[in-house]
Amino acid sequence: MQAVKVIRIAAAVIGAGLLSAGLAAAGALAVAIQHASEDMRNWERWNDNDDRGV
């Protein structure tokens, strides 16, 4: 009975860690995409290649 309790706690801790790591990776990816799109917009403006029709 005690072993089952320990296994459940360990599984919960590992699951929480995996969830946290997944959310951190998703956030890092979102930030990277946002910065890449901003860099691309700036590059287009600097090179007079801005086709947004502004």
Side-chain angles (χ1 to χ4, degrees):
M1 214 47 184
Q2 186 69 19
V4 173
K5 199 180 230 184
V6 170
I7 291 172
R8 283 186 182 166
I9 291 171
V13 169
I14 292 170
L18 289 174
L19 178 63
S20 177
L23 290 174
L29 180 63
V31 169
I33 289 171
Q34 181 180 6
H35 282 272
S37 66
E38 182 179 338
D39 289 343
M40 189 63 184
R41 283 192 304 268
N42 289 337
W43 183 87
E44 287 175 345
R45 285 190 203 122
W46 293 332
N47 290 289
D48 294 326
N49 191 21
D50 194 354
D51 58 356
R52 292 177 297 162
V54 176

XYZ file of all heavy atoms in Angstrom:
395
model
N 0.815 -1.199 0.000
C 0.000 0.000 0.000
C 0.858 1.261 0.000
O 0.551 2.212 -0.698
C -0.883 -0.060 1.244
C -2.238 0.534 1.123
S -3.099 0.039 -0.357
C -4.510 1.025 -0.166
N 1.921 1.210 0.800
C 2.832 2.359 0.865
C 3.547 2.565 -0.470
O 3.752 3.691 -0.889
C 3.856 2.137 1.990
C 4.759 3.310 2.257
C 4.031 4.490 2.881
O 2.944 4.341 3.426
N 4.602 5.659 2.782
N 3.898 1.471 -1.136
C 4.592 1.568 -2.420
C 3.695 2.212 -3.477
O 4.155 3.012 -4.299
C 5.040 0.191 -2.880
N 2.428 1.896 -3.460
C 1.486 2.480 -4.421
C 1.381 3.984 -4.194
O 1.356 4.768 -5.154
C 0.098 1.809 -4.293
C -0.919 2.522 -5.158
C 0.187 0.335 -4.664
N 1.378 4.390 -2.947
C 1.295 5.813 -2.616
C 2.539 6.551 -3.122
O 2.438 7.635 -3.708
C 1.175 5.959 -1.097
C 0.643 7.270 -0.629
C 0.575 7.271 0.897
C -0.770 7.720 1.352
N -0.848 7.826 2.810
N 3.703 5.959 -2.922
C 4.954 6.565 -3.373
C 4.990 6.649 -4.893
O 5.402 7.666 -5.463
C 6.170 5.768 -2.833
C 7.460 6.229 -3.485
C 6.251 5.874 -1.321
N 4.535 5.591 -5.549
C 4.513 5.584 -7.017
C 3.569 6.659 -7.544
O 3.879 7.369 -8.512
C 4.133 4.182 -7.542
C 5.262 3.201 -7.258
C 3.819 4.237 -9.032
C 4.919 1.760 -7.552
N 2.421 6.821 -6.923
C 1.469 7.864 -7.356
C 2.057 9.258 -7.181
O 1.909 10.111 -8.061
C 0.168 7.744 -6.561
C -0.705 6.627 -7.029
C -2.024 6.638 -6.307
N -2.846 5.516 -6.728
C -3.916 5.116 -6.105
N -4.315 5.727 -5.002
N -4.616 4.097 -6.559
N 2.727 9.485 -6.055
C 3.342 10.802 -5.817
C 4.445 11.049 -6.836
O 4.543 12.140 -7.414
C 3.864 10.897 -4.367
C 2.692 10.922 -3.396
C 4.746 12.121 -4.190
C 3.094 10.803 -1.939
N 5.273 10.040 -7.077
C 6.350 10.183 -8.054
C 5.781 10.445 -9.448
O 6.299 11.296 -10.183
C 7.216 8.933 -8.059
N 4.733 9.747 -9.807
C 4.112 9.951 -11.120
C 3.542 11.364 -11.235
O 3.655 12.003 -12.284
C 3.019 8.916 -11.349
N 2.951 11.864 -10.153
C 2.400 13.225 -10.169
C 3.511 14.257 -10.319
O 3.375 15.234 -11.077
C 1.603 13.480 -8.898
N 4.613 14.055 -9.617
C 5.734 14.999 -9.711
C 6.343 14.976 -11.111
O 6.607 16.027 -11.696
C 6.794 14.672 -8.633
C 8.077 15.451 -8.869
C 6.247 14.949 -7.247
N 6.538 13.790 -11.659
C 7.099 13.673 -13.011
C 6.137 14.277 -14.035
O 6.544 14.998 -14.947
C 7.412 12.200 -13.339
C 8.577 11.724 -12.461
C 7.733 12.021 -14.814
C 8.821 10.231 -12.533
N 4.854 14.013 -13.882
C 3.861 14.578 -14.797
C 3.836 16.094 -14.746
O 3.767 16.763 -15.781
N 3.915 16.649 -13.532
C 3.934 18.107 -13.402
C 5.187 18.693 -14.037
O 5.137 19.750 -14.686
C 3.848 18.496 -11.931
N 6.296 18.008 -13.880
C 7.539 18.475 -14.499
C 7.467 18.446 -16.014
O 7.915 19.379 -16.679
N 6.903 17.380 -16.554
C 6.762 17.289 -18.007
C 5.808 18.360 -18.543
O 6.061 18.954 -19.591
C 6.278 15.896 -18.401
C 7.290 14.767 -18.225
C 6.627 13.422 -18.525
C 8.489 14.975 -19.128
N 4.723 18.582 -17.827
C 3.779 19.622 -18.237
C 4.438 20.994 -18.215
O 4.293 21.788 -19.148
C 2.550 19.608 -17.320
C 1.497 20.674 -17.599
C 0.888 20.480 -18.982
C 0.418 20.645 -16.541
N 5.189 21.264 -17.166
C 5.890 22.538 -17.042
C 6.895 22.719 -18.174
O 6.989 23.790 -18.774
C 6.590 22.603 -15.686
O 7.324 23.780 -15.569
N 7.650 21.662 -18.468
C 8.635 21.739 -19.551
C 7.944 21.959 -20.897
O 8.428 22.733 -21.734
C 9.468 20.466 -19.582
N 6.818 21.309 -21.101
C 6.078 21.489 -22.349
C 5.557 22.903 -22.514
O 5.646 23.491 -23.591
N 5.032 23.461 -21.442
C 4.533 24.840 -21.505
C 5.671 25.835 -21.726
O 5.515 26.814 -22.463
C 3.766 25.178 -20.224
C 2.421 24.467 -20.060
C 1.838 24.771 -18.683
C 1.459 24.864 -21.148
N 6.810 25.589 -21.086
C 7.967 26.465 -21.286
C 8.445 26.409 -22.731
O 8.777 27.440 -23.331
C 9.083 26.076 -20.330
N 8.478 25.214 -23.313
C 8.897 25.069 -24.712
C 7.914 25.766 -25.652
O 8.320 26.431 -26.613
C 9.015 23.595 -25.061
N 6.628 25.637 -25.376
C 5.623 26.305 -26.217
C 5.759 27.823 -26.123
O 5.650 28.529 -27.131
C 4.219 25.869 -25.795
N 6.017 28.323 -24.937
C 6.210 29.766 -24.767
C 7.449 30.257 -25.490
O 7.430 31.312 -26.129
N 8.533 29.499 -25.386
C 9.765 29.884 -26.081
C 9.563 29.883 -27.586
O 10.060 30.772 -28.289
C 10.894 28.933 -25.689
N 8.826 28.914 -28.102
C 8.542 28.854 -29.530
C 7.697 30.050 -29.969
O 7.957 30.660 -31.010
C 7.829 27.546 -29.874
C 7.473 27.338 -31.341
C 8.727 27.285 -32.196
C 6.668 26.067 -31.510
N 6.707 30.412 -29.166
C 5.860 31.559 -29.504
C 6.677 32.851 -29.541
O 6.498 33.677 -30.442
C 4.725 31.680 -28.487
N 7.575 33.016 -28.586
C 8.423 34.216 -28.561
C 9.353 34.230 -29.767
O 9.542 35.273 -30.403
C 9.219 34.286 -27.235
C 10.295 35.351 -27.299
C 8.276 34.567 -26.087
N 9.918 33.079 -30.106
C 10.824 33.007 -31.260
C 10.089 33.351 -32.549
O 10.618 34.075 -33.399
C 11.431 31.615 -31.344
N 8.875 32.851 -32.714
C 8.097 33.152 -33.926
C 7.764 34.637 -33.988
O 7.858 35.264 -35.046
C 6.826 32.281 -33.964
C 7.203 30.832 -34.236
C 5.849 32.789 -35.016
C 6.052 29.868 -34.078
N 7.400 35.211 -32.853
C 7.056 36.631 -32.823
C 8.263 37.485 -33.210
O 8.141 38.412 -34.015
C 6.560 37.017 -31.429
C 6.157 38.465 -31.317
C 5.667 38.807 -29.926
O 5.730 37.984 -29.025
N 5.221 40.015 -29.737
N 9.427 37.166 -32.671
C 10.615 37.948 -32.992
C 11.037 37.747 -34.444
O 11.491 38.688 -35.089
C 11.757 37.580 -32.039
C 11.613 38.210 -30.696
N 12.105 39.455 -30.394
C 11.008 37.771 -29.568
C 11.814 39.755 -29.150
N 11.143 38.748 -28.625
N 10.891 36.541 -34.959
C 11.254 36.282 -36.345
C 10.360 37.067 -37.297
O 10.842 37.628 -38.290
C 11.172 34.794 -36.642
N 9.070 37.130 -37.004
C 8.175 37.874 -37.890
C 8.461 39.372 -37.804
O 8.396 40.076 -38.809
C 6.719 37.583 -37.557
O 6.384 38.064 -36.278
N 8.813 39.851 -36.621
C 9.167 41.270 -36.478
C 10.448 41.577 -37.249
O 10.536 42.602 -37.937
C 9.352 41.611 -35.000
C 9.684 43.071 -34.749
C 9.840 43.368 -33.270
O 9.314 42.610 -32.448
O 10.512 44.364 -32.967
N 11.432 40.677 -37.163
C 12.676 40.866 -37.913
C 12.406 40.884 -39.408
O 13.003 41.667 -40.148
C 13.682 39.763 -37.584
C 14.257 39.892 -36.188
O 14.141 40.985 -35.595
O 14.800 38.902 -35.677
N 11.499 40.025 -39.874
C 11.184 39.971 -41.299
C 10.511 41.267 -41.748
O 10.826 41.793 -42.817
C 10.279 38.768 -41.580
C 10.085 38.507 -43.032
S 11.660 38.080 -43.788
C 11.178 37.938 -45.475
N 9.588 41.775 -40.935
C 8.941 43.045 -41.285
C 9.973 44.166 -41.372
O 9.936 44.991 -42.287
C 7.866 43.392 -40.268
C 6.594 42.612 -40.431
C 5.463 43.191 -39.599
N 5.789 43.298 -38.185
C 5.542 42.367 -37.272
N 4.972 41.242 -37.636
N 5.864 42.558 -36.009
N 10.890 44.218 -40.411
C 11.923 45.249 -40.426
C 12.823 45.100 -41.646
O 13.191 46.082 -42.278
C 12.764 45.183 -39.146
C 11.994 45.657 -37.936
O 11.034 46.397 -38.057
N 12.407 45.214 -36.773
N 13.174 43.848 -41.978
C 14.030 43.608 -43.138
C 13.341 44.097 -44.407
O 13.967 44.711 -45.276
C 14.335 42.111 -43.240
C 15.259 41.770 -44.361
C 16.613 41.772 -44.330
C 14.882 41.391 -45.689
N 17.112 41.408 -45.548
C 16.083 41.164 -46.401
C 13.679 41.213 -46.340
C 16.081 40.781 -47.732
C 13.679 40.821 -47.663
C 14.868 40.611 -48.336
N 12.045 43.841 -44.535
C 11.318 44.278 -45.728
C 11.282 45.798 -45.813
O 11.428 46.368 -46.893
C 9.899 43.712 -45.719
C 9.844 42.232 -46.007
C 8.445 41.661 -45.882
O 7.564 42.335 -45.311
O 8.231 40.524 -46.342
N 11.097 46.470 -44.693
C 11.071 47.938 -44.716
C 12.437 48.503 -45.086
O 12.541 49.441 -45.863
C 10.659 48.469 -43.338
C 9.198 48.305 -43.064
C 8.791 49.059 -41.800
N 7.587 48.474 -41.276
C 7.452 47.962 -40.065
N 8.442 48.004 -39.220
N 6.321 47.433 -39.682
N 13.482 47.929 -44.517
C 14.833 48.444 -44.776
C 15.237 48.268 -46.230
O 16.017 49.030 -46.774
C 15.854 47.731 -43.899
C 15.715 48.028 -42.436
C 15.213 49.158 -41.874
C 16.084 47.180 -41.362
N 15.243 49.059 -40.520
C 15.759 47.850 -40.166
C 16.641 45.909 -41.290
C 15.999 47.304 -38.921
C 16.879 45.361 -40.049
C 16.560 46.062 -38.891
N 14.719 47.234 -46.882
C 15.099 46.933 -48.253
C 14.036 47.390 -49.258
O 14.062 46.943 -50.402
C 15.359 45.428 -48.402
C 16.613 45.027 -47.687
O 17.705 45.365 -48.120
N 16.495 44.327 -46.579
N 13.139 48.242 -48.845
C 12.067 48.730 -49.714
C 11.341 47.599 -50.415
O 11.011 47.673 -51.597
C 12.620 49.719 -50.760
C 13.138 50.991 -50.109
O 12.565 51.402 -49.102
O 14.113 51.560 -50.626
N 11.082 46.546 -49.669
C 10.405 45.370 -50.227
C 9.139 45.099 -49.414
O 8.748 43.961 -49.253
C 11.360 44.165 -50.175
C 10.834 43.012 -50.959
O 9.999 43.179 -51.838
N 11.295 41.819 -50.642
N 8.520 46.124 -48.926
C 7.356 45.993 -48.072
C 6.107 45.925 -48.935
O 5.701 46.916 -49.538
C 7.271 47.171 -47.108
C 6.292 46.938 -45.988
O 5.597 45.912 -46.005
O 6.214 47.793 -45.088
N 5.497 44.750 -49.053
C 4.354 44.580 -49.941
C 3.030 44.561 -49.172
O 2.049 44.019 -49.652
C 4.505 43.288 -50.748
C 4.637 42.061 -49.874
O 4.697 42.205 -48.639
O 4.665 40.945 -50.425
N 3.003 45.175 -48.009
C 1.754 45.193 -47.226
C 0.798 46.271 -47.708
O -0.333 46.340 -47.282
C 2.068 45.412 -45.734
C 2.773 44.219 -45.140
C 3.134 44.488 -43.719
N 4.066 45.609 -43.688
C 4.334 46.330 -42.609
N 3.761 46.043 -41.483
N 5.175 47.301 -42.649
N 1.236 47.143 -48.587
C 0.361 48.154 -49.141
C 0.040 49.291 -48.186
O -1.009 49.902 -48.266
N 0.959 49.552 -47.304
C 0.735 50.633 -46.318
C 1.109 51.951 -46.917
O 2.023 52.107 -47.633
C 1.555 50.362 -45.026
C 1.393 51.510 -44.059
C 1.114 49.063 -44.421
